[in-house]
Amino acid sequence: MLDTLIIDDVTIPYSKYNTISISCSGGADSSLLLYILMKYKQHGTIHVHTLASNLKGRLTAKTSTNVIEKCIQLTGYDKIIHHTSYVDKQDSKKMFDNLALQKEITGSNIMYSAVTANPPKDIADSFCGENNNPLQLDRDPTIQRPIFILDTFCAPFTNINKKRIKALYDHLDLTESLFPLTRSCEGLSSETNNFTKDCEDCWWCLERKWAFGKF
């Protein structure tokens, strides 16, 4: 049985009591959704699933751990089990297959994804380049997508873009506390000093700068 949260006009189905799972990369979107689920959860466990690419220095594993610690500090909710899977190359099919498997293993009633819509087309087109992941182009902001996929996979941010995510950070007073710990860069190690800084050129960096005004 799911309840409904409405935060700054954004609807988020959630469960106070059942065991749930969330895919968390440590990026701004998934970190925000994790915080919201932790803040309003009363019982049960949250399984946090992170897919870390060896080719990207396993950055998501490190970042998501820091995000979880901050969310525990901010919400007081600590019924968290963190699962990290390592792959040579991260791709959407491997991620979805992994999440489906983990959902079954953990006995979660629902799996959350924090995927968002693209910016408007003219903005999105300006991000296209050598490092742009073409999968991003599938997130057409003009198409309203269902929040639920296969009944038990929930993507509550699927029809909002990063500017709206920024507004939610401001609304929840997280812009100075949680946001600085998040990372969205998908550049190569040669472009990021072995992932010690953002590359400032990949799709995710440009989208983040567009929405938040900073990397």
Side-chain angles (χ1 to χ4, degrees):
M1 185 75 169
L2 293 177
D3 295 294
T4 299
L5 289 171
I6 299 179
I7 299 177
D8 200 22
D9 295 329
V10 176
T11 299
I12 303 172
Y14 84 114
S15 169
K16 294 179 182 178
Y17 305 106
N18 293 332
T19 296
I20 63 175
S21 288
I22 177 173
S23 172
C24 183
S25 65
D29 306 332
S30 59
S31 299
L32 174 65
L33 183 56
L34 175 62
Y35 167 85
I36 290 170
L37 294 174
M38 289 173 66
K39 180 176 175 61
Y40 291 96
K41 192 117 173 80
Q42 295 181 358
H43 302 283
T45 301
I46 299 178
H47 291 271
V48 182
H49 302 273
T50 302
L51 191 64
S53 167
N54 294 325
L55 293 179
K56 297 291 177 62
R58 298 169 296 282
L59 178 65
T60 52
K62 302 168 188 174
T63 305
S64 58
T65 297
N66 292 335
V67 163
I68 290 169
E69 289 296 328
K70 175 56 75 172
C71 288
I72 290 173
Q73 176 188 335
L74 292 171
T75 67
Y77 189 90
D78 61 0
K79 300 178 182 66
I80 302 294
I81 300 176
H82 191 194
H83 310 265
T84 302
S85 301
Y86 298 100
V87 296
D88 288 334
K89 183 179 179 182
Q90 191 166 323
D91 62 55
S92 59
K93 184 178 186 306
K94 282 185 179 179
M95 180 179 294
F96 189 83
D97 289 347
N98 180 272
L99 291 178
L101 176 62
Q102 291 300 323
K103 180 182 174 299
E104 295 304 316
I105 291 173
T106 61
S108 297
N109 299 86
I110 187 169
M111 171 69 78
Y112 288 89
S113 167
V115 63
T116 58
N118 276 346
K121 188 177 186 305
D122 59 329
I123 300 296
D125 286 348
S126 73
F127 298 162
C128 292
E130 198 174 300
N131 292 328
N132 175 41
N133 183 340
L135 289 173
Q136 300 291 50
L137 303 180
D138 293 335
R139 292 163 25 186
D140 188 339
T142 66
I143 298 174
Q144 287 291 301
R145 301 180 184 278
I147 289 178
F148 277 93
I149 305 167
L150 303 178
D151 296 328
T152 56
F153 283 79
C154 183
F157 297 158
T158 192
N159 293 310
I160 64 176
N161 65 35
K162 283 286 195 301
K163 286 271 192 185
R164 196 70 186 81
I165 295 296
K166 166 64 164 64
L168 283 169
Y169 266 88
D170 291 342
H171 179 78
L172 293 168
D173 197 24
L174 297 172
T175 305
E176 301 303 323
S177 56
L178 181 60
F179 176 76
L181 295 178
T182 68
R183 289 285 300 276
S184 301
C185 180
E186 289 289 342
L188 301 174
S189 59
S190 60
E191 299 165 340
T192 62
N193 291 338
N194 198 28
F195 303 100
T196 59
K197 66 182 185 67
D198 299 300
C199 77
E200 302 183 8
D201 189 49
C202 68
W203 171 288
W204 295 267
C205 277
L206 295 174
E207 186 184 32
R208 185 177 172 105
K209 179 68 180 294
W210 168 75
F212 287 87
K214 54 188 175 182
F215 296 109

